C-alpha cells in the first residue's frame, strides 16, 4: 500500500533555515505524498530561532550543538554524533540538506553512514578554489559526492555538477529557494504594512549603505580593511548612513566594534529578524556584503552590491551587472563605494540589471522532482 515518503530536513544556520523553510511549507501542503520531520542541529541559536519564528516552523528535533566561539572540528563531532542519533530515531527515506555549512555536510555524511539517500538543495556552487570560501567550498564538493539528487539553482550550477561527472538525470535546475522566501516575506510585509521596532533608530532621510560580513577567510585583516573603508566613507559623507547588523560570531563582533563603534553615522545593530532585514534591504541605497544569500536576494530588490570577497560562486550576479567583486582592500572598497554614491549613471546600470537566481517557485519544483524520484520507494508492505 502506498504510504507518504518520509523526509527529514536537517539544517542549523540562519541561511539554511531561510532557504529550507519554504520547502518545509511546500512539503507540508502534500500530506498524502510526504511526511516531513524537521531536525535542527542548532549550529546557530538566536539567528536560527529568529527564522523559525518568521515561518512558524517547529522542529521535531533540536540537537542544540552551538557553543560560544565553536571550532570547526568540535562542531563537526557534536553535530555528527547527534544527527546520527536523530536518524536512528526517525529512519527517514530521504535526508534533505541545503548549501555548504558544517551542518549540511555533517547531515549528509551521517545519512551516508546509514545508507539513507540525500537530496541536496542549492547544489553545484563552485569557486574551484578549495580554501575560498572556507570551509564551504569543500563542504559542498563533499556533499555532491554523497548526494543522490542535486537541486541546482541555476544552469551554471547544473553545468558544474555535470562537469564533475554527476549524471544529468540526477540534477534538477529549480531556481533558488531564497527567492521563494524573499517573495513570501516581502508580500506579507507589504500586505500588513509592517513597521519594525528594530529599524526605528535609522535615519531614512539619508542614503542607507547596508553592510554585512562573516566569512571565515576575511577574519583578521579582511574585516579590518572593510571597516576602515566604511569609516572613511562615513567620515566624508555625513548625508550617508551606514547600517551594519553585525553577525554574532565573536571574530566579527570584536573588530567591527573596535573600528566602527564610535562613528556617528554608522549604526551597528544586532542581527535583524528576516522580515526587518528584507525591509531594510528594500529601503537601502546599496549593499556591501560577503554573504551568499544576500548576493542572491539583492538583484530581486534592484540593489547594487559590492561583494567583499576575492572570488564568488555566484558569478551570475557579477555577469548580470548587479554585483562587483571588491575584495577586502580598504582603498578599493572606498573607491567603489564613492563611485556608487557619486556617479548616477554607474548606480543606474547596477540597479537596472535582472535577477538570475529564481522566480519564487523553486520549492514546488523540488517537491515534484523528489516525488518522481521516490516512486517505488514509497511502496512498502504494511
Ligand atoms: C556559519 C557557516 C557559514 C554560513 C554562516 C551563515 C560553517 C562552518 N559556517 O558561519 O557557512 O555562511 O554560518 O551565517 O558552517 N553565534 C551566536 N549565535 C548565533 C550564531 C552564531 O552566538 O545565533 C556565534 C557563536 O559564538 C558561534 C559563532 O558565532 O560559535 C560561530 O558560528 P558558526 O556557525 O560556527 O559559524 P558562522 O561564522 O556563523
Ligand atoms: N539576514 C537576516 N538578518 C540579518 C542579516 C541577514 O535575516 O541581520 C538574512 C539575509 O536576508 C539572507 C541570509 O540572512 O537571506 C544570509 O545569511 P548569512 O549572510 O549569515 O549567510 P550566507 O548566506 O553567507 O551563508
Amino acid at each position: 500500500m502506498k504510504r507518504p515518503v518520509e523526509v527529514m530536513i536537517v539544517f542549523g544556520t540562519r541561511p539554511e533555515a531561510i532557504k529550507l523553510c519554504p520547502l518545509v511549507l511546500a512539503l507540508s501542503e502534500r500530506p498524502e505524498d510526504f511526511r516531513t520531520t524537521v531536525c535542527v542541529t542548532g549550529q546557530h541559536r538566536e539567528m536560527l530561532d529568529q527564522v523559525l519564528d518568521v515561518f512558524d516552523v517547529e522542529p521535531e528535533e533540536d540537537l542544540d550543538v552551538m557553543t560560544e566561539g565553536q571550532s570547526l572540528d568540535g562542531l563537526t563531532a557534536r553535530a555528527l554524533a547527534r544527527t546520527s542519533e536523530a536518524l536512528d530515531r526517525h529512519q527517514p527515506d530521504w535526508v534533505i540538506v541545503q548549501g555548504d555549512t558544517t551542518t549540511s555536510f555533517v547531515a549528509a555524511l551521517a545519512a551516508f553512514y546509514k545508507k539513507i539517500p540525500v537530496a541536496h538543495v542549492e547544489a553545484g556552487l563552485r569557486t574551484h578554489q578549495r580554501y575560498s570560501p572556507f570551509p564551504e567550498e569543500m563542504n559542498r564538493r563533499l556533499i555532491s559526492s554523497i548526494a543522490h539528487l542535486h537541486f541546482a539553482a541555476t544552469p551554471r550550477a547544473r553545468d558544474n555538477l555535470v562537469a564533475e561527472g554527476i549524471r544529468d538525470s540526477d540534477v534538477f535546475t529549480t531556481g533558488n529557494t531564497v527567492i521563494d522566501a524573499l517573495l513570501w516575506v516581502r508580500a506579507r510585509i507589504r500586505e500588513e504594512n509592517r513597521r519594525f521596532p528594530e529599524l526605528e533608530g535609522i535615519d531614512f532621510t539619508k542614503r542607507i549603505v547596508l553592510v554585512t560580513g562573516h566569512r571565515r577567510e576575511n577574519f583578521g585583516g579582511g574585516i579590518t580593511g572593510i571597516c576602515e573603508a566604511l569609516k572613511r566613507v562615513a567620515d566624508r559623507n555625513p548625508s550617508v548612513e551606514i547600517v551594519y547588523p553585525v553577525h554574532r560570531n565573536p571574530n566579527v563582533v570584536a573588530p567591527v566594534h573596535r573600528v566602527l563603534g564610535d562613528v556617528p553615522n554608522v549604526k551597528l545593530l544586532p542581527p535583524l529578524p528576516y522580515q526587518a532585514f528584507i525591509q531594510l534591504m528594500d529601503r537601502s541605497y546599496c549593499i556591501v556584503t560577503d554573504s551568499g544569500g544576500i548576493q542572491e536576494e539583492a538583484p530581486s530588490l534592484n540593489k547594487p552590491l559590492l561583494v567583499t570577497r576575492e572570488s564568488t560562486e555566484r558569478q551570475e550576479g557579477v555577469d548580470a551587472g548587479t554585483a562587483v567583486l571588491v575584495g577586502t582592500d580598504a582603498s578599493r572598497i572606498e573607491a567603489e563605494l564613492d563611485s556608487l554614491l557619486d556617479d548616477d549613471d554607474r548606480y543606474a546600470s547596477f540597479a537596472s540589471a535582472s535577477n538570475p537566481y529564481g522566480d519564487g517557485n523553486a520549492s514546488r519544483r523540488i517537491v515534484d522532482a523528489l516525488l518522481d524520484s521516490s516512486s517505488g520507494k514509497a511502496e512498502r508492505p504494511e
Side-chain angles (χ1 to χ4, degrees):
M1 187 180 144
K2 188 170 182 302
R3 63 168 181 88
V5 180
E6 302 273 344
V7 173
M8 182 184 271
I9 302 196
V10 186
F11 54 92
T13 66
R14 169 173 70 190
E16 293 164 78
I18 290 170
K19 291 170 170 180
L20 283 176
C21 282
L23 183 58
V24 172
L25 300 181
L27 286 166
S28 70
E29 284 169 9
R30 308 266 288 267
E32 70 289 359
D33 295 322
F34 293 102
R35 184 172 131 59
T36 310
T37 303
V38 174
C39 170
V40 296
T41 60
Q43 176 178 335
H44 283 175
R45 192 67 279 167
E46 305 88 335
M47 289 162 60
L48 171 71
D49 295 344
Q50 279 180 331
V51 183
L52 294 172
D53 285 350
V54 170
F55 290 92
D56 209 11
V57 166
E58 279 185 35
E60 282 175 45
E61 292 279 351
D62 188 333
L63 310 179
D64 204 21
V65 299
M66 195 194 89
T67 58
E68 184 69 17
Q70 58 205 358
S71 66
L72 290 178
D73 41 14
L75 170 64
T76 301
R78 283 193 301 283
L80 184 61
R82 293 184 205 177
T83 306
S84 179
E85 289 161 11
L87 289 174
D88 283 340
R89 283 192 286 275
H90 295 274
Q91 305 197 6
D93 300 311
W94 283 96
V95 167
I96 300 184
V97 300
Q98 190 282 335
D100 48 24
T101 66
T102 293
T103 286
S104 327
F105 164 58
V106 160
L109 184 62
F112 170 73
Y113 285 160
K114 297 189 186 298
K115 300 191 177 149
I116 300 169
V118 172
H120 186 203
V121 175
E122 197 184 81
L125 296 188
R126 297 289 185 272
T127 60
H128 304 288
Q129 295 175 34
R130 74 173 48 218
Y131 294 113
S132 177
F134 174 83
E136 292 84 1
E137 174 76 2
M138 191 51 66
N139 283 345
R140 55 201 178 208
R141 289 192 210 174
L142 294 167
I143 297 169
S144 294
S145 303
I146 291 173
H148 286 64
L149 287 182
H150 311 259
F151 299 117
T154 65
R156 176 189 288 266
R158 179 196 182 97
D159 292 348
N160 285 337
L161 292 164
V162 173
E164 288 174 11
I166 290 172
R167 277 194 315 196
D168 204 44
S169 55
D170 292 339
V171 186
F172 297 83
T173 311
T174 59
N176 198 307
T177 53
V178 80
I179 307 297
D180 304 13
L182 172 68
L183 299 183
W184 190 85
V185 162
R186 193 174 62 174
R188 264 151 201 80
I189 296 171
R190 288 182 179 171
E191 249 166 48
E192 296 162 13
N193 203 13
R194 288 284 296 274
R195 288 279 169 268
F196 298 99
E198 294 87 351
L199 305 185
E200 262 162 24
I202 299 171
D203 183 354
F204 285 106
T205 63
K206 296 183 176 179
R207 285 189 293 179
I208 305 296
V209 175
L210 173 59
V211 182
T212 80
H214 68 83
R215 298 249 81 90
R216 273 181 157 71
E217 62 277 12
N218 285 350
F219 288 176
I223 294 186
T224 311
I226 297 164
C227 292
E228 293 289 353
L230 296 171
K231 181 171 160 33
R232 287 186 221 156
V233 172
D235 286 344
R236 279 189 291 101
N237 294 280
S239 66
V240 165
E241 183 142 299
I242 294 178
V243 182
Y244 190 160
V246 184
H247 192 287
R248 286 195 188 275
N249 195 318
N251 296 299
V252 177
V253 174
V256 168
H257 280 267
R258 183 166 41 76
V259 182
L260 294 172
D262 292 329
V263 185
N265 51 338
V266 175
K267 286 255 159 353
L268 300 181
L269 304 175
L272 292 171
Y274 188 50
Q275 306 106 308
F277 188 77
I278 294 301
Q279 185 167 88
L280 177 58
M281 276 178 93
D282 218 4
R283 299 179 75 182
S284 297
Y285 179 78
C286 67
I287 302 171
V288 179
T289 190
D290 61 20
S291 160
I294 296 170
Q295 286 180 66
E296 294 152 348
E297 292 164 338
S300 288
L301 302 173
N302 293 325
K303 299 301 168 185
L305 204 61
L306 301 184
V307 180
T308 47
R309 295 175 49 179
E310 305 299 337
S311 61
T312 182
E313 58 293 279
R314 285 143 174 118
Q315 186 63 29
E316 293 89 339
V318 177
D319 293 345
T322 65
V324 62
L325 284 177
V326 297
T328 57
D329 175 70
S331 306
R332 169 92 200 273
I333 297 170
E334 188 182 4
E336 293 282 357
L337 202 44
D338 280 346
S339 123
L340 273 183
L341 289 166
D342 299 338
D343 182 343
D344 291 346
D345 290 340
R346 182 157 159 76
Y347 182 86
S349 74
F350 268 83
S352 61
S354 63
N355 161 24
Y357 294 111
D359 61 1
N361 293 310
S363 302
R364 191 180 46 71
R365 291 189 192 100
I366 291 171
V367 171
D368 288 344
L370 196 59
L371 192 59
D372 282 350
S373 307
S374 302
S375 58
K377 287 205 174 53
E379 307 292 330
R380 231 192 240 170
E382 276 190 278

Coordinates of all heavy atoms in Angstrom, one line a residue, residues 7 46 55 74 130 134 160 184 223 248 270 301 327 360:
V7 N 10.5 12.2 4.9 CA 11.6 13.1 4.6 C 12.1 13.7 5.9 O 11.3 14.2 6.6 CB 11.1 14.2 3.6 CG1 12.2 15.2 3.4 CG2 10.7 13.6 2.3
E46 N 20.4 32.0 18.3 CA 19.4 33.1 18.2 C 19.1 33.3 16.7 O 17.9 33.6 16.4 CB 20.0 34.4 18.8 CG 20.5 34.3 20.3 CD 21.9 33.8 20.4 OE1 22.4 33.1 19.5 OE2 22.5 34.1 21.4
F55 N 8.7 31.8 9.9 CA 8.0 30.9 9.1 C 7.1 30.0 9.9 O 6.4 29.1 9.4 CB 9.0 30.0 8.2 CG 9.7 30.8 7.2 CD1 10.9 31.4 7.4 CD2 9.1 30.9 5.9 CE1 11.5 32.1 6.4 CE2 9.7 31.7 4.9 CZ 10.9 32.3 5.2
G74 N 35.2 20.6 16.6 CA 34.3 20.4 17.7 C 32.9 20.4 17.3 O 32.1 19.5 17.6
R130 N 39.9 25.6 -3.3 CA 39.5 24.8 -2.2 C 39.4 25.6 -0.9 O 38.6 25.2 0.0 CB 40.4 23.6 -2.0 CG 41.8 23.9 -1.5 CD 42.6 22.7 -1.2 NE 42.6 21.7 -2.3 CZ 42.5 20.4 -2.1 NH1 42.5 19.9 -0.9 NH2 42.5 19.6 -3.2
F134 N 36.0 29.3 2.8 CA 36.5 28.2 3.7 C 35.5 28.1 4.9 O 35.3 29.1 5.6 CB 37.9 28.5 4.2 CG 38.4 27.6 5.2 CD1 38.9 26.3 4.8 CD2 38.3 27.9 6.6 CE1 39.4 25.4 5.8 CE2 38.8 27.0 7.5 CZ 39.3 25.8 7.2
N160 N 28.3 22.8 -13.5 CA 29.4 22.5 -12.7 C 29.3 21.0 -12.2 O 30.3 20.3 -12.2 CB 29.4 23.3 -11.4 CG 29.9 24.8 -11.7 OD1 30.6 25.0 -12.6 ND2 29.5 25.7 -10.8
W184 N 7.8 35.6 -0.4 CA 6.8 35.3 0.6 C 6.8 36.3 1.7 O 5.8 36.9 2.0 CB 7.1 33.9 1.1 CG 6.1 33.3 2.0 CD1 5.0 32.5 1.6 CD2 6.1 33.2 3.4 NE1 4.4 32.0 2.7 CE2 5.0 32.5 3.8 CE3 6.9 33.8 4.4 CZ2 4.6 32.3 5.2 CZ3 6.6 33.6 5.8 CH2 5.5 32.8 6.1
I223 N 38.4 41.8 7.5 CA 37.3 42.6 8.2 C 37.8 44.0 8.5 O 37.1 44.9 8.4 CB 36.8 41.8 9.5 CG1 36.2 40.5 9.0 CG2 35.8 42.7 10.2 CD1 35.6 39.7 10.2
R248 N 26.9 37.4 14.9 CA 27.2 37.1 16.3 C 28.6 36.4 16.4 O 29.0 36.2 17.6 CB 26.1 36.3 16.9 CG 24.9 37.1 17.2 CD 24.0 36.3 18.2 NE 22.7 37.0 18.3 CZ 22.5 38.1 19.1 NH1 23.5 38.5 19.9 NH2 21.3 38.7 19.1
P270 N 22.3 44.5 16.3 CA 22.4 43.0 16.3 C 21.8 42.4 15.1 O 21.1 43.1 14.3 CB 21.6 42.7 17.6 CG 20.8 43.9 17.9 CD 21.4 45.0 17.2
L301 N 15.7 43.0 -5.5 CA 15.2 44.3 -5.0 C 15.9 45.4 -5.7 O 15.9 46.6 -5.3 CB 15.6 44.3 -3.5 CG 14.9 43.2 -2.6 CD1 15.4 43.2 -1.2 CD2 13.4 43.3 -2.6
G327 N 36.8 42.6 -3.1 CA 37.9 42.1 -2.2 C 37.7 42.8 -0.8 O 36.7 43.3 -0.4
G360 N 10.7 32.3 -7.5 CA 9.8 32.1 -6.4 C 9.1 30.7 -6.4 O 8.3 30.4 -5.5

